[in-house]
């Protein structure tokens, strides 16, 4: 549906009033799991979240936050922020990037599209470069998709291919990069047997090289640029396997933070800088951590760092990463068309909105919430505030992050009475959970709970309503488990889980403004994050559009 044809007017809810301020709090990476020593949310002192749970089943329940409930290919896929916030904001389940790329590869359509044709123009005389996250995590990219893309490019005339790897250790176990490099090297060897000159050219850890987001730290992208485009890095190796093994041993970096390296030939020359006439594909399907590199590859005028050399290339993203910026202008697979989000509807219906987080999650409650669209729907009705995140540290060092500052901004926005919806993301349990540092994650969870308290107190003061939920699990389970749920041992030690989980997440409603008869329905037992948007619309006094996933609440006469 073209937006101009949309009827934006929402029906009045037959029973619920308008004009109550609603706080929507998303705890990032806060799932529900059995209490045990690896459940940091359980270990942490979290009196506010504990008390909300006492409201079950009428005011507290669980919702699905992973797999097909959020548009991922299968129920073995853990949840993540992109698909979680997309579902929360859009109120419907869209087939997400991971799935769309799978389908395009399976049907072969990816090779017939405009994006592939565009990069193919370089195959005869140039090199095809593939840059992206090397793992089977399925959050940003997937190894099997890279393998199919490599094979397909080889079959369709790519003569020289260079892969620039970003090691993971965040969506998969730390140390697993070695196995992924081995697998990739096997594939590249097979391509070489078929006459394609295919090699890994550079690499680095995803959190230190290339995959920054929301412009938190351009140095991260610059490090990638230097290695990938200029072929320069202080660490030089003759193979990627050697690089990863050596850098893990000295300077003892983990997969997420491997320093940038380049692969060099016998003469010490980089085997794959990006030069005029080459083609480049950024192979991640997920948007947030590709927007910055896409800008650096695509924009003629660019001042975020000195690129030294700006090659004339044919660049395509795996997907279009920003629907509003139309970035990049060429892509292999069309992104999900997440239209008519709840944010856009509410703004059209007079709901004034405030959204806030710190940089590392800022786009989650704005860009992802609004269907991968940056910017305001109506600047007169909305205000988005970004609190600068700490830069250059791993968040176990500062596990409280900016939770307090986010809560203060939300509190002030609520007390100002200038807004009908005040929406925040509290990053702690996720960002610190990803470090695998259990003690710090416990501190992080408490900090998030403190922040929730401050916001709920403000809602209490203005007679408002709160909705507290999360986007996926993380901190509630910090250990890799076998199928039966027992911690998996390796060389006698448990393996720390840095990734998200498959667990459901809580949702709680309440506040003095909540009409007395409101409670969670019993007839949406499989409710997921996509059911939250209709719920929030109801709390603003509106019926949700008929094609939205059903609301989680009902109003009973007391
Ligand atoms: O940090 C990220 O990019 C992902 C994990 O890969 O986490 P989240 O989905 O919570 O943003
Ligand atoms: Mn998240
Ligand atoms: Mn995360």
């Amino acid at each position: 549906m073209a937006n101009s044809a949309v009827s934006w007017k929402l029906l009045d809810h037959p029973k619920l009033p308008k004009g109550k301020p609603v706080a929507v709090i998303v705890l990032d990476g806060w799932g529900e799991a059995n209490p045990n020593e690896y459940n940091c949310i359980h270990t942490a002192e979290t009196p506010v979240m504990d008390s909300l749970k006492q409201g079950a089943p009428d005011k507290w329940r669980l919702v699905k936050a992973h797999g097909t409930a959020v548009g991922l290919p299968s129920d073995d896929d853990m949840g993540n922020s992109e698909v979680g916030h997309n579902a929360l904001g859009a109120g419907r389940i869209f087939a997400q990037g991971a799935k769309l790329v799978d389908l395009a590869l399976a049907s072969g359509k990816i090779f017939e599209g405009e994006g592939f044709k565009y990069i193919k123009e370089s195959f005869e005389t140039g090199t095809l470069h593939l840059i992206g996250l090397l793992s089977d995590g399925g959050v940003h990219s997937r190894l099997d998709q890279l393998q199919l893309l490599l094979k397909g490019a080889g079959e369709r005339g790519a003569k020289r291919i260079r892969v620039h790897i970003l090691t993971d250790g965040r969506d998969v176990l730390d140390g697993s990069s070695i196995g992924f490099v081995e697998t990739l090297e096997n594939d590249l060897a097979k391509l070489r047997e078929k006459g394609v000159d295919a090699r890994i050219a550079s690499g680095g850890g995803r959190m230190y090289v290339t995959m920054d987001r929301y412009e938190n730290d351009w140095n991260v992208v610059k490090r990638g640029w230097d290695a990938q485009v200029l072929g320069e890095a202080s660490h030089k190796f003759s193979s990627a396997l050697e690089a990863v093994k050596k850098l893990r041993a000295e300077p003892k970096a983990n997969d997420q933070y491997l320093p940038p390296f380049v692969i060099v030939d016998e003469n010490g020359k980089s085997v794959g800088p990006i030069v005029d006439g080459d083609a480049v594909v950024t192979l991640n399907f997920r948007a947030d951590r590709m927007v910055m590199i896409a800008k650096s590859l695509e924009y003629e005028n660019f001042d975020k760092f000195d690129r030294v050399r700006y090659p004339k290339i044919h660049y395509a993203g795996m997907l279009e990463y920003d629907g509003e910026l139309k970035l990049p202008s060429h892509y292999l697979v069309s992104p999900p068309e997440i239209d008519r989000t709840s944010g856009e509807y509410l703004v059209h219906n007079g709901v004034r909105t405030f959204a806030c987080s710190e940089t590392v999650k800022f786009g989650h409650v704005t860009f992802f919430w609004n269907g991968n669209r940056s910017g305001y729907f109506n600047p007169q009705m909305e205000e988005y505030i970004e609190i600068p995140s700490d830069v250059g540290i791993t968040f176990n060092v500062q596990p409280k992050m900016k939770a307090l500052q986010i809560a203060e901004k939300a509190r002030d926005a609520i007390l100002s009475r200038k807004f009908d919806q005040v929406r925040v993301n509290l990053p702690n349990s996720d960002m610190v959970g990803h470090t695998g540092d259990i003690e710090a994650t416990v501190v992080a969870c408490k900090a998030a709970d403190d922040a929730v308290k401050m916001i709920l107190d403000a809602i209490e003061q203005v007679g408002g309503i709160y909705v507290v939920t999360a986007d996926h699990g993380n901190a509630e389970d910090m250990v890799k488990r076998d199928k039966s749920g027992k911690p998996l041992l390796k060389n006698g030690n448990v393996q720390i889980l840095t990734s998200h989980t498959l667990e459901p997440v809580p949702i709680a409603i309440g506040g003095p403004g909540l009409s007395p008869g409101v409670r969670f329905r019993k007839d949406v037992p499989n409710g997921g994050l996509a059911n939250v948007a209709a719920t929030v619309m109801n709390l603003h006094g509106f019926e949700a559009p008929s094609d939205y996933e059903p609301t989680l609440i009902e109003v009973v006469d007391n």
Side-chain angles (χ1 to χ4, degrees):
M1 202 182 323
N3 265 8
S4 55
V6 175
S7 158
W8 291 108
K9 181 93 192 83
L10 294 172
L11 296 177
D12 295 336
H13 193 279
K15 296 188 176 160
L16 294 174
K18 297 193 176 42
K20 303 279 179 197
V22 180
V24 180
I25 304 172
V26 181
L27 293 144
D28 211 294
W30 188 288
E32 177 74 11
N34 290 333
N36 63 64
E37 62 188 302
Y38 301 107
N39 181 337
C40 295
I41 295 173
H42 168 73
T43 307
E45 220 183 288
T46 54
V48 181
M49 291 302 286
D50 294 348
S51 73
L52 295 183
K53 196 170 173 179
Q54 300 302 313
D58 286 353
K59 304 285 166 58
W60 184 99
R61 63 164 287 172
L62 295 174
V63 284
K64 286 190 181 172
H66 80 286
T68 51
V70 285
L72 291 169
S74 90
D75 284 336
D76 296 330
D77 290 304
M78 60 192 151
N80 71 70
S81 291
E82 177 181 53
V83 300
H85 287 77
N86 281 170
L88 284 166
R92 285 148 298 153
I93 302 164
F94 290 87
Q96 287 286 352
K99 175 103 184 257
L100 298 172
V101 174
D102 283 348
L103 293 173
L105 282 164
S107 66
K109 286 217 174 96
I110 196 168
F111 301 114
E112 289 152 24
E114 186 278 332
F116 192 81
K117 285 190 184 137
Y118 178 63
I119 58 160
K120 208 173 152 193
E121 287 168 21
S122 301
F123 285 5
E124 193 58 37
T125 51
T127 300
L128 167 64
H129 299 264
L130 300 170
I131 306 175
L133 184 65
L134 182 69
S135 83
D136 62 4
V139 173
H140 294 270
S141 69
R142 275 211 335 265
L143 173 67
D144 59 333
Q145 295 179 347
L146 167 61
Q147 293 176 303
L148 291 172
L149 195 59
L150 279 169
K151 185 162 169 283
E155 286 165 0
R156 285 163 183 80
K159 295 200 167 63
R160 195 163 179 272
I161 300 179
R162 293 293 180 264
V163 188
H164 303 265
I165 64 168
L166 301 166
T167 52
D168 192 345
R170 187 172 178 93
D171 303 327
V172 291
L173 293 180
D174 183 44
S176 60
S177 61
I178 294 169
F180 292 123
V181 170
E182 282 169 346
T183 307
L184 176 60
E185 288 289 16
N186 267 326
D187 280 60
L188 296 173
K190 278 190 216 136
L191 277 172
R192 290 196 292 273
E193 279 166 23
K194 297 206 173 101
V196 183
D197 169 11
R199 304 189 59 167
I200 297 175
S202 79
R206 58 176 281 175
M207 296 303 284
Y208 195 62
V209 177
T210 300
M211 279 174 60
D212 189 42
R213 65 181 166 204
Y214 309 140
E215 311 210 353
N216 193 44
D217 183 2
W218 277 101
N219 284 322
V220 176
V221 185
K222 177 178 163 28
R223 280 180 207 117
W225 182 273
D226 291 350
Q228 296 145 3
V229 179
L230 307 180
E232 288 167 10
S234 52
H235 296 284
K236 299 180 175 58
F237 295 94
S238 58
S239 88
L241 197 57
E242 185 195 352
V244 172
K245 285 185 178 164
K246 288 227 166 110
L247 294 172
R248 282 182 58 79
E250 175 62 49
K252 240 183 170 336
N254 61 24
D255 287 352
Q256 295 190 58
Y257 284 91
L258 288 192
F261 60 86
V262 290
I263 306 302
V264 292
D265 62 18
E266 339 36 89
N267 306 317
K269 260 187 71 194
S270 146
V271 301
I274 299 175
V275 299
D276 285 354
D278 285 352
V280 176
V281 172
T282 45
L283 57 94
N284 292 15
F285 43 74
R286 174 162 153 175
D288 56 347
R289 295 189 185 276
M290 287 288 107
V291 166
M292 293 166 76
I293 182 178
K295 286 180 176 167
S296 68
L297 289 168
E298 177 133 329
Y299 289 168
E300 180 90 48
N301 294 319
F302 177 87
D303 60 4
K304 301 303 181 184
F305 59 84
D306 180 6
R307 289 182 294 192
V308 181
R309 192 161 61 67
Y310 177 55
K312 290 195 183 53
I313 54 169
H314 279 199
Y315 165 51
M318 181 66 103
L319 254 71
E320 179 185 54
Y321 299 127
D322 188 316
E324 197 177 26
L325 301 178
K326 303 267 174 260
L327 181 79
S329 36
H330 301 271
Y331 44 89
L332 303 187
V333 177
S334 295
E337 277 182 51
I338 307 178
D339 60 351
R340 296 186 300 111
T341 58
S342 59
E344 191 164 12
Y345 270 110
L346 289 171
V347 159
H348 277 282
N349 286 273
V351 172
R352 299 159 303 168
T353 301
F354 176 91
C356 175
S357 190
E358 63 174 277
T359 313
V360 292
K361 295 288 182 186
F362 176 64
H364 289 33
V365 275
T366 55
F367 176 74
F368 285 152
W369 194 274
N370 295 334
N372 297 358
R373 186 183 183 284
S374 47
Y376 293 114
F377 295 112
N378 178 348
Q380 266 79 54
M381 301 283 296
E382 296 164 277
E383 185 174 347
Y384 298 166
I385 298 273
E386 173 185 344
I387 298 178
S389 287
D390 291 321
V391 174
I393 58 161
T394 55
F395 287 100
N396 53 335
V397 183
Q398 297 281 7
K400 295 186 181 171
M401 300 182 65
K402 305 293 178 206
L404 185 65
Q405 291 87 332
I406 296 167
E408 284 170 351
K409 287 277 185 240
R411 175 198 63 197
D412 296 347
I414 292 165
L415 297 182
S416 78
R417 297 180 190 257
K418 283 200 293 206
F419 300 99
D420 304 295
Q421 181 176 119
V422 170
R423 182 168 79 224
V424 298
N425 176 299
L426 298 171
N428 309 65
S429 39
D430 182 68
M431 293 302 287
V432 187
H434 280 306
T435 67
D437 181 332
I438 290 184
E439 249 171 73
T441 306
V442 171
V443 177
C445 294
K446 171 159 191 325
D449 194 75
D450 290 343
V452 174
K453 177 168 188 342
M454 183 177 285
I455 300 171
L456 297 198
D457 285 349
I459 281 295
E460 188 70 32
Q461 279 188 52
V462 299
I465 300 172
Y466 59 77
V467 178
V468 184
T469 188
D471 61 340
H472 52 75
N474 183 336
E476 80 288 354
D477 198 9
M478 299 285 289
V479 74
K480 177 95 177 155
R481 297 177 185 279
D482 65 16
K483 284 241 152 53
S484 75
K486 280 208 213 70
L488 210 65
L489 296 183
K490 192 174 174 190
N491 310 327
N493 297 316
V494 299
Q495 300 180 74
I496 293 299
L497 192 73
T498 52
S499 74
H500 301 164
T501 69
L502 303 175
E503 301 297 345
V505 299
I507 177 167
I509 51 171
L514 189 69
S515 298
V518 174
R519 65 176 190 196
F520 284 127
R521 297 158 61 169
K522 303 278 175 321
D523 57 349
V524 263
N526 288 319
L529 294 178
N531 299 82
V532 175
T535 310
V536 172
M537 282 170 155
N538 291 169
L539 296 173
H540 282 293
F542 296 103
E543 293 270 34
S546 57
D547 64 341
Y548 267 43
E549 292 295 320
T551 179
L552 296 169
I553 54 172
E554 61 186 359
V555 190
V556 292
D557 298 326
N558 293 28

